[in-house]
Amino acid sequence: MSGDPDIATKRLRLKIALEELREMKGFGTELVTIIIPPDRQISDARTMLQNEHGQAANIKSKGTRKNVQGAIESAISTLNRFKTPGENGLALFVGAIIIGNNKTRMVNVVVDDPPQQLLSFRYRCDSTFELTQLEDMLVDKKSYALFVIDRAEAAYGIASGKRIHVQEHLVSNIMGKHRQGGQSAQRFERLIEEAAHNFFKRATEHACSYWLPNLENIQAVIIGGPGATKDFVVKNDYFHHEITKKIAKTTFDVGYSNESGVRELVDNAGTLMGEIELDAERQLMNRFLEELVKAHPKA
């Protein structure tokens, strides 16, 4: 799996927390959400909550007033544990959630180490928690680099989610085999192979230049083509060394080395892509559970 394993673990923790928070419902406006970005002072948020606590005294419903003020008090108490929002900010979800039979239970959920920076301050009282900023952090940014090549043409691009983008299609203009014999044939053969080498180099350099800025999100580089050229360029190290580390062991046969070939490559490699993602998810979950066991060993 690409990227920082700590970031991946943070994403998994956030995913689990969000699944729980989405299920929580409250009466009226009794659930309080506070989002504090890293550039906001904890003291500012605390002062704002103290003011909101005073305003909540005007709520007509005694039950709602009690629960809202209780949630705000719990939030203030929680914020007192923090000197700063941290590198990426702090999110706090507090309130009386419905547990059935017209009963409620107070919850206090803190997300103090999100995988990305929270962008804006947010305070909201509602029947559900405000999760948008955190949910945006889990939007799938994983992608697969795609490359198809033969001696006549090449194309490359990227697949992300359900989107396939073909960045460029290149044509080699390599001459065909020369029919004359003797030294002339040998010379033309050398020229042909030199032209092929230059084309392979140009195609792979273009592709690598396109992929490298997004390398941390690339899960694997998938390579295909109608003939042996695809294996030749991999075996002979035409790709940038950082890209080479992510080349899938299996190459795929496709009919053409153009845009349609790139799309056919995605179809043919679908199982491999799924296996890569499942394996990465499995490894991440195992690592997360190991950390959980270390933090909470059995008695």
Side-chain angles (χ1 to χ4, degrees):
M1 185 173 185
S2 67
D4 186 341
D6 290 338
I7 297 295
T9 302
K10 290 177 183 179
R11 285 173 60 87
L12 181 58
R13 287 197 180 106
L14 178 59
K15 180 180 178 181
I16 293 170
L18 287 176
E19 287 174 354
E20 295 176 353
L21 288 166
R22 287 190 198 101
E23 298 299 316
M24 296 178 183
K25 302 290 186 291
F27 293 114
T29 58
E30 296 181 3
L31 300 188
V32 176
T33 301
I34 304 104
I35 306 290
I36 309 174
D39 59 352
R40 191 74 174 256
Q41 297 292 323
I42 290 287
S43 57
D44 292 343
R46 190 163 49 236
T47 299
M48 185 275 299
L49 286 174
Q50 289 167 345
N51 292 335
E52 290 294 329
H53 186 275
Q55 293 292 327
N58 298 321
I59 297 174
K60 293 181 179 180
S61 168
K62 182 178 179 181
T64 300
R65 180 171 65 249
K66 177 184 176 183
N67 285 338
V68 170
Q69 288 188 316
I72 293 174
E73 289 166 5
S74 179
I76 292 172
S77 177
T78 299
L79 288 182
N80 287 335
R81 296 172 10 215
F82 296 89
K83 293 182 179 180
T84 71
E87 183 180 0
N88 288 338
L90 177 71
L92 187 56
F93 306 93
V94 190
I97 64 169
I98 301 168
I99 57 174
N101 297 324
N102 215 32
K103 294 182 179 180
T104 61
R105 172 173 61 87
M106 183 66 72
V107 297
N108 186 318
V109 178
V110 181
V111 178
D112 58 357
D113 197 16
Q116 300 172 30
Q117 285 194 354
L118 293 161
L119 300 178
S120 60
F121 182 83
R122 182 77 166 144
Y123 169 77
R124 193 184 80 162
C125 295
D126 207 336
S127 60
T128 59
F129 290 120
E130 171 58 60
L131 305 174
T132 305
Q133 288 193 58
L134 292 175
E135 287 176 330
D136 286 346
M137 295 180 187
L138 296 184
V139 173
D140 192 4
K141 297 181 177 67
K142 295 194 298 289
S143 58
Y144 292 88
L146 308 170
F147 186 85
V148 291
I149 191 169
D150 57 42
R151 291 174 70 91
E153 58 184 349
Y156 63 90
I158 204 156
S160 181
K162 296 182 179 180
R163 178 173 172 266
I164 301 171
H165 172 70
V166 179
Q167 176 67 10
E168 187 179 13
H169 172 232
L170 303 98
V171 178
S172 72
N173 295 320
I174 297 173
M175 295 177 289
K177 297 290 184 180
H178 192 67
R179 294 184 179 180
Q180 293 182 354
Q183 292 183 348
S184 179
Q186 293 175 6
R187 184 170 66 86
F188 273 100
E189 188 68 29
R190 285 197 303 271
L191 290 173
I192 290 170
E193 292 309 311
E194 183 179 338
H197 166 75
N198 291 337
F199 173 63
F200 300 158
K201 188 170 183 289
R202 177 165 63 97
T204 53
E205 285 180 350
H206 281 216
C208 290
S209 295
Y210 174 63
W211 296 327
L212 281 169
N214 190 45
L215 188 61
E216 65 176 300
N217 292 324
I218 291 177
Q219 303 300 292
V221 179
I222 313 293
I223 295 176
T229 301
K230 60 182 179 294
D231 299 301
F232 180 85
V233 295
V234 173
K235 184 178 179 181
N236 288 276
D237 299 325
Y238 278 93
F239 291 95
H240 186 282
H241 66 277
E242 292 295 335
I243 296 295
T244 300
K245 295 175 184 177
K246 296 198 173 187
I247 293 177
K249 293 180 180 179
T250 304
T251 58
F252 294 87
D253 289 326
V254 296
Y256 302 94
S257 297
N258 52 20
E259 182 170 343
S260 66
V262 172
R263 297 184 184 281
E264 184 183 353
L265 178 63
V266 173
D267 291 337
N268 293 350
T271 301
L272 174 64
M273 292 179 181
E275 288 174 354
I276 290 170
E277 291 194 15
L278 284 173
D279 186 54
E281 188 77 17
R282 192 181 303 114
Q283 290 180 28
L284 180 57
M285 181 60 77
N286 288 340
R287 188 163 60 244
F288 179 75
L289 292 175
E290 287 172 4
E291 291 181 6
L292 207 59
V293 170
K294 289 178 183 178
H296 304 284
K298 292 182 179 179

